[in-house]
């Protein structure tokens, strides 16, 4: 079977080309439905103050959501893909979750196959890529990661205004889905978690 490849468009926007968008839009066959609200992806996080943790994968192009964590040290969230889907990630996207400040500046992206053993995929220190209201930016993952099912963002220092809140209203990932996976795994009938 050919690999499913999710390729970043090269534009720092919600480009509707990533895996999370694909899962939410049933492969582009319907209007985007938040995949955390349908149970397709699972979100875990530190205490969340504004909005719902499902807002972390709110990848609608024209809908801005206010979303941020409580004021805790090393604020974090993670997105877990459905069982049977793993990706060799090449890029990832974050969207700022507010009209004004407190944008991410210091954080790491960790990846895992099992949710227990994590690999450092990308590290950011004083990264000023996120600038405007609900700004979107995509970063290359330079490390070669064969497969990942869990993606974890952890703050490693202050946000733009010196605070600890992790402000985010969108995450997506791009790369190659492993060809060793079950035939048809990206068909809608396979997208919900088994309880």
């Amino acid at each position: 079977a050919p690999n499913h490849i999710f390729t970043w468009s090269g534009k720092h926007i919600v480009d509707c080309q990533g895996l999370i968008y694909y899962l939410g839009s049933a492969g582009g066959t319907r209007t985007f439905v938040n995949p955390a609200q349908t149970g397709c992806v699972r979100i875990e996080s530190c205490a969340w103050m504004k909005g719902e943790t499902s807002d972390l994968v709110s990848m609608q192009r024209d809908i801005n959501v206010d979303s941020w964590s409580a004021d805790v040290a090393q604020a974090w969230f993670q997105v877990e893909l459905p069982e049977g889907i793993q990706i060799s990630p090449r890029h990832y996207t974050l969207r700022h979750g507010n009209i004004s400040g407190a944008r991410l500046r210091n954080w790491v992206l960790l990846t895992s196959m099992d949710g227990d053993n994590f690999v450092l995929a990308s590290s950011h220190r004083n990264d000023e890529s996120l600038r405007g209201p609900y700004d979107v930016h995509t970063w290359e993952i330079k490390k070669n990661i064969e497969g990942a099912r869990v993606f974890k963002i952890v703050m490693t220092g202050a946000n733009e205004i010196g605070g600890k809140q992790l402000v985010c209203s969108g995450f997506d990932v791009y790369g190659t889905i492993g060809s060793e996976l079950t035939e048809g795994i990206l068909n809608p009938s396979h997208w919900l978690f088994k309880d």
Side-chain angles (χ1 to χ4, degrees), residues 43 105 176:
I43 309 286
R105 293 294 181 251
T176 304

Side-chain angles (χ1 to χ4, degrees), residues 21-33 186 188 191:
Y21 187 85
Y22 186 96
L23 293 172
S25 66
T29 63
R30 68 177 186 213
T31 303
F32 182 88
V33 177
L186 288 176
W191 284 357

Side-chain angles (χ1 to χ4, degrees), residues 99-142:
I99 199 163
S100 61
R103 291 166 193 87
L104 278 170
R105 293 294 181 251
N106 301 282
W107 75 95
V108 292
L109 170 68
L110 306 172
T111 65
S112 174
M113 279 299 294
D114 59 12
D116 293 320
N117 302 293
F118 284 88
V119 171
L120 177 64
S122 188
S123 181
H124 303 265
R125 185 167 179 177
N126 299 321
D127 186 323
E128 297 185 0
S129 300
L130 293 168
R131 294 184 171 270
Y134 306 103
D135 198 20
V136 176
H137 196 86
T138 300
W139 291 267
E140 180 182 4
I141 297 173
K142 293 178 178 160

